Structures are given as C-alpha cells and as structure tokens.
Amino acid sequence: MTAPKLALSEQAAADITADVVVVGTVQQDGGGFALAPGADAVDAAFDGSLVDILTSLGASGKAEEVVKVPTLGKLKAGVVLAVGLGKQDPTPEQVRRAAGASARALTGVKRACTLLSQVDLQAAIEGTVLGAYNFTEYKSDAGDGPVGRVDFAAENSKENKATLKAATAIAEAVATARDLINTPPNDLFPASFADRAVKLGEAAGLTVEVLDEKALRRGGFGGILGVGTGSSRLPRLVRLSYKGPRASKKVALVGKGITFDTGGISLKPPASMEEMTSDMSGAAAVVASVVLAAKLKYPLEVIATVPIAENMPSGTSYRPGDVLTMYGGKTVEVLNTDAEGRLILADAIVRAGEDNPDYLIETATLTGAQLVALGKRTAGVMGSDGFRDRVARIGQAVGENAWAMPLPEELRGDLDSRIADLANVTGHRWGGMLAAGLFLKEFVPADLEWAHIDVAGPAYNSGGAHGYTARGGTGVPVRTIAAVLADIAENG
Ligand code: BES
Ligand code: MN
Ligand code: ZN
C-alpha cells in the first residue's frame, strides 16, 4: 500500500496549507460536546461558533463520528473535518481510533492537517497511518488512494521528531503484518512466506536462517513436518535474529505460520474456511516485530523462530492416530489434525528455548475457543504468571485489549495419551483455549518467563472497518509485542 507522507507542522490554523483540517470533538459528562484541545484557533475563524455549526449538522462527539464543514474562505483549508473522540478525557486509544476514522474519511484527499496530535501525538500518528491502510494488491482498479500527506500540528522539537519516527515505524510494522495476512494463500505458502520474511529481515540487517523440508527432517522437527507434509508446498522454519547495541536481555519470539488451515483430514466445515488465510497472523506479527526491533534499535537481542506450514488433506497427510516425535524428543498422539498450530509451535518453542532467552513471547491464531471466551477483539494471554500479567497489562495500554487467562492444572491430565507422551487435544470442549496453552507449556523450558497470546479473533477483522482497523488482517498483536520489547529494554 502507499502510505501517506507524514510531517510535523507548526503552522497557525488560519494559514494551514492543506485541503482538510481535522479537529477532534469530545462528549461532555454533563451532555453536549466540546472541541478537543488544539482546535481553538480553528474555532476562532468561525467566530467561536464551530460547536453550534457541528451541532446543527447532527454532531454529538461520539466516538468515530465524522462531520464535515466547508470553511468558505474562513481558513486556507477548504474543509474542517470533525471527528468524535467519544467520552471526556480521551485515552490514547480514543485518539488512535478517532485518527483512524478520520484517515478513512480522508480517502482521495491530497493533503490534510490534523489537530488530534495536540491531544496525543503518538496515538494520532499511529491511528492515521493505520486508518489509511488499504490492501489493493489484487484490485484491477484500486480506486482513490489514501490521503496523500498528513501534517500533525505539533512543535518541531527533537522529542516530537523522535515520536514521529517511532510511531511511524510501529504503524508500518503493523501494516507489514497486515500485508502478509491479506496476501491470499495461493501466493503466500510456506516457501514464499519464508522468502518474504528473509527479504524483510535482510533489509533490516538481521541474521536470517531458513530450514527447508530436508533440513527439518535432518533436525527432527516432527511437529512441523507432520502438519506440513499433507501439502505439496512443503514446510519451512525461519529464524530472524537481531542483536542490538548494548543488548541487555534476550527475547525469543515465536509465531504460528499456518498459511492455510483446512483442518487436514479432520477437515473443517466450509463456512468461512477462507478466513483461515489468516492462520499465519502470529508468524506475520513476530516477523514484523523483530524487523521493528532492529529499526528502532532496541537495546535487546531478539530472535524470531517462525514455523510455517500449510494444513491440507491429501494422501500424504498426517492422520488422526499418528504419533509424531517432536523436536527435542517428546512424542505426541494426534487425535485431531485440526489442532495443528500447537504441533508446529511445540517444535519452534523447543528450538527457541535452545537460545537460552530471558523471555519468550509466542503468539498464534490457536483456538476457536478463544473467540468463544473473549470474542473477536480481545486476545487471551497465558503463560508464567508474572510475565503473562505484564503482557496483558501492556496489551491493554496500547489498545489491543489483551486479557490474562489461567492454565488450570486439572485440565492437564485430559491431554494424557494412551500410547504417547501427550495427546494434541482433550476429549471435550471445556476450556479449549486453556488446554492449548497447557499443551504448549509442556514444551517451554522450566523457569522461562513465557507469554502465549491467542489472537484467533483479534488477528482478523471479518466485519466492517472501524477506528484504525481495516477489514481483513489487523496486525494484532504487533503493537503489544513492540511495547513489551520497549518495556523490557527499559526495565529489564
Ligand atoms: N486455526 C484454528 C483456530 C481458529 C479458529 C483461528 C477460528 C481463527 C478463527 C486452529 O488451528 C484450530 O482449528 N483449532 C481447533 C482446535 C480443536 C480441534 C481442539 C478449534 O479451535 O476448533
Ligand atoms: Mn486448525
Ligand atoms: Zn490453525
């Protein structure tokens, strides 16, 4: 996609050389709404009547509402676009969503200037870039492009320039993940995904390694091979390593890269199966995150281990009843070939553990049960207690709505197998997200600080666009991972 050009601007409201000026509106506790901070000078050009004018046009300040007012020569800009922030004392997430809604409403506009940056610069930038995202790779006619350039009303200070750079890089990382997710499975398969990861990694100066099916066989990656050999397009394991200046901590990232999940021999029903193009969202997120870590020069060592396979039914597929010998030697009885994510992740987690990291962040579109428990927009976070809570808290702070979930001991026995060390599913539907987490736990080195983020719902928006979230791949949990890395860099 073509991202808008971004800049900081110190122009006075009356002189803003843009086609559209974006102002925020905020609902007041006592009823009615007010203009958000930064809009006073624009209001002055309307002799203080902007709220009245907006009211007459039906505005209320509610979140993501967009109302346009022609300036008729009162400002250089021809249009004021008022976007609702929702309730009073807006959080960064309210700003991000409003910025996203405004960017979507600016499609086709050459140049805009936003005053939302006066409320929160970083959130305004992230929301604007992400709201402008549109995946048009496969459209013969891409239509009006996103807004061409956005100026953020803010002092051109060193600090604000650094914020612009960081926020842009974070939003671009999310867009990278979205692009990978939105690429259809006939074009994004294990080898082509690995190639794209390598290109992204090399461009960012990372050390890259790709294991093809032969190397996987030599290495004994039974989980990845078991899942991946039902497809004519054989599996890969990609490793991307970044070592920052004065790296204090080592963080392992692991993400599920199922380029398409049919369920395999335990075939899924046809309804919405096409959404399983997004079953590599975890992999996309960790690839984008390690590249981002390098771009922002985090003082960390970050190593992404990315298992990639396509889960297909065929004469070479693995079967219910098969026993796989995983990387590291544990054996798993496959009772359902649709519980494939945990099998490729187990191999990758054991491999990632060999690097002796201080932390492991692993993310996956792992279970339908995540959707049942938490819905489409809230990720479930499991893992070691302290780190799990830290990741969930940071996920909430960045607006990705992560929620801590338990790994109840009593469920573990339900994964016992008659003939192998472990079965890949329990015999019941209770706590399916937690059972998957307990399965993964068997492969995590003891005492490693570990978080598993199940993004089955949040990774993919099957409804309409909202806030800064387009239809299709969302890029969740890239911003959570980025913020956790920044937090580890700062606080250990
Ligand atoms: N990729 C799916 C999980 C999923 C479901 C992601 C819906 C996004 C939306 C995963 O591989 C899967 O099929 N899980 C099974 C596990 C079950 C067989 C224990 C599920 O959740 O049904
Ligand atoms: Mn599956
Ligand atoms: Zn899957």
Side-chain angles (χ1 to χ4, degrees):
M1 70 143 203
T2 46
K5 287 190 178 54
L6 311 175
L8 301 172
S9 169
E10 296 183 338
Q11 277 185 322
D15 304 328
I16 289 172
T17 44
D19 305 298
V20 179
V21 177
V22 177
V23 304
T25 53
V26 187
Q27 291 172 319
Q28 298 304 103
D29 288 345
F33 69 96
L35 298 174
D40 288 354
V42 172
D43 192 27
F46 286 86
D47 299 322
S49 62
L50 195 49
V51 167
D52 290 342
I53 294 169
L54 288 168
T55 304
S56 71
L57 291 170
S60 67
K62 73 168 188 285
E64 297 178 37
E65 148 191 287
V66 169
V67 179
K68 294 178 192 172
V69 181
T71 63
L72 307 173
K74 295 179 181 68
L75 298 171
K76 264 198 188 154
V79 174
V80 169
L81 186 155
V83 63
L85 287 153
K87 66 180 190 330
Q88 203 174 316
D89 304 319
T91 60
E93 177 65 3
Q94 284 174 263
V95 176
R96 209 177 281 114
R97 289 184 189 184
S102 70
R104 286 189 286 115
L106 290 168
T107 301
V109 169
K110 277 212 186 78
R111 184 168 171 183
C113 176
T114 184
L115 305 182
L116 292 172
S117 45
Q118 300 274 323
V119 188
D120 188 311
L121 177 60
Q122 170 154 359
I125 297 165
E126 289 175 356
T128 300
V129 177
L130 293 176
Y133 177 89
N134 198 6
F135 186 72
T136 57
E137 207 61 36
Y138 292 81
K139 292 276 191 193
S140 305
D141 177 1
D144 290 334
V147 55
R149 168 178 170 154
V150 181
D151 292 306
F152 295 87
E155 193 193 332
N156 203 6
S157 63
K158 202 173 154 202
E159 196 193 334
N160 285 346
K161 280 186 202 156
T163 301
L164 175 63
K165 192 178 156 212
T168 307
I170 289 168
E172 280 170 356
V174 175
T176 297
R178 288 181 179 181
D179 282 345
L180 289 166
I181 298 161
N182 289 333
T183 301
N186 53 332
D187 282 342
L188 193 94
F189 47 91
S192 67
F193 188 4
D195 285 348
R196 285 178 69 162
V198 165
K199 287 214 174 68
L200 288 163
E202 283 176 345
L206 306 180
T207 307
V208 305
E209 180 193 9
V210 178
L211 304 191
D212 64 9
E213 70 277 4
K214 289 187 218 77
L216 289 168
R217 200 157 290 125
R218 274 197 302 276
F221 290 88
I224 299 172
L225 284 165
V227 172
T229 44
S231 172
S232 58
R233 303 184 300 182
L234 293 165
R236 296 288 183 269
L237 180 70
V238 175
R239 306 238 313 148
L240 303 175
S241 315
Y242 159 71
K243 186 160 188 176
R246 288 161 278 108
S248 54
K249 295 279 184 210
K250 193 189 283 185
V251 184
L253 303 178
V254 171
K256 172 180 173 182
I258 294 292
T259 58
F260 194 74
D261 182 12
T262 64
I265 297 298
S266 312
L267 194 62
K268 286 184 182 296
S272 304
M273 198 202 274
E274 71 282 358
E275 291 188 8
M276 287 302 116
T277 180
S278 66
D279 211 19
M280 35 56 71
S281 296
V286 303
V287 168
S289 296
V290 66
V291 168
L292 176 66
K295 278 206 179 127
L296 295 181
K297 299 197 174 66
Y298 286 144
L300 297 171
E301 190 170 349
V302 182
I303 307 174
T305 303
V306 192
I308 311 177
E310 185 175 50
N311 190 20
M312 295 287 267
S314 80
T316 56
S317 292
Y318 74 144
R319 294 152 284 256
D322 281 359
V323 173
L324 305 176
T325 301
M326 314 296 279
Y327 186 68
K330 279 206 175 73
T331 58
V332 175
E333 183 186 13
V334 178
L335 297 179
N336 187 323
T337 63
D338 198 11
E340 83 297 339
R342 62 197 73 182
L343 298 171
I344 68 168
L345 289 167
D347 277 2
I349 287 170
V350 174
R351 176 63 192 90
E354 290 177 346
D355 299 326
N356 292 315
D358 298 294
Y359 296 97
L360 166 64
I361 306 171
E362 172 273 312
T363 185
T365 47
L366 203 58
T367 65
Q370 180 279 319
L371 284 136
V372 176
L374 295 170
K376 280 291 293 175
R377 297 193 195 171
T378 303
V381 188
M382 289 137 278
S384 49
D385 294 353
F387 192 51
R388 171 202 63 207
D389 288 346
R390 186 174 173 189
V391 170
R393 181 172 40 75
I394 291 171
Q396 286 158 34
V398 302
E400 287 189 332
N401 296 338
W403 202 258
M405 299 297 278
L407 293 174
E409 254 173 61
E410 71 275 12
L411 272 179
R412 169 58 191 84
D414 301 344
L415 288 169
D416 285 345
S417 160
R418 182 176 55 87
I419 54 171
D421 297 337
L422 202 63
N424 77 330
V425 294
T426 65
H428 57 74
R429 11 191 317 271
W430 315 123
M433 168 171 54
L434 320 178
L438 282 162
F439 179 91
L440 296 177
K441 184 174 183 223
E442 294 295 311
F443 299 88
V444 177
D447 303 326
L448 175 57
E449 301 259 26
W450 161 59
H452 157 56
I453 313 174
D454 192 337
V455 289
Y460 193 80
N461 176 18
S462 28
H466 57 88
Y468 52 88
T469 304
R471 292 171 62 188
T474 63
V476 174
V478 168
R479 290 187 306 104
T480 299
I481 295 173
V484 171
L485 292 177
D487 192 56
I488 293 171
E490 201 173 307
N491 303 309

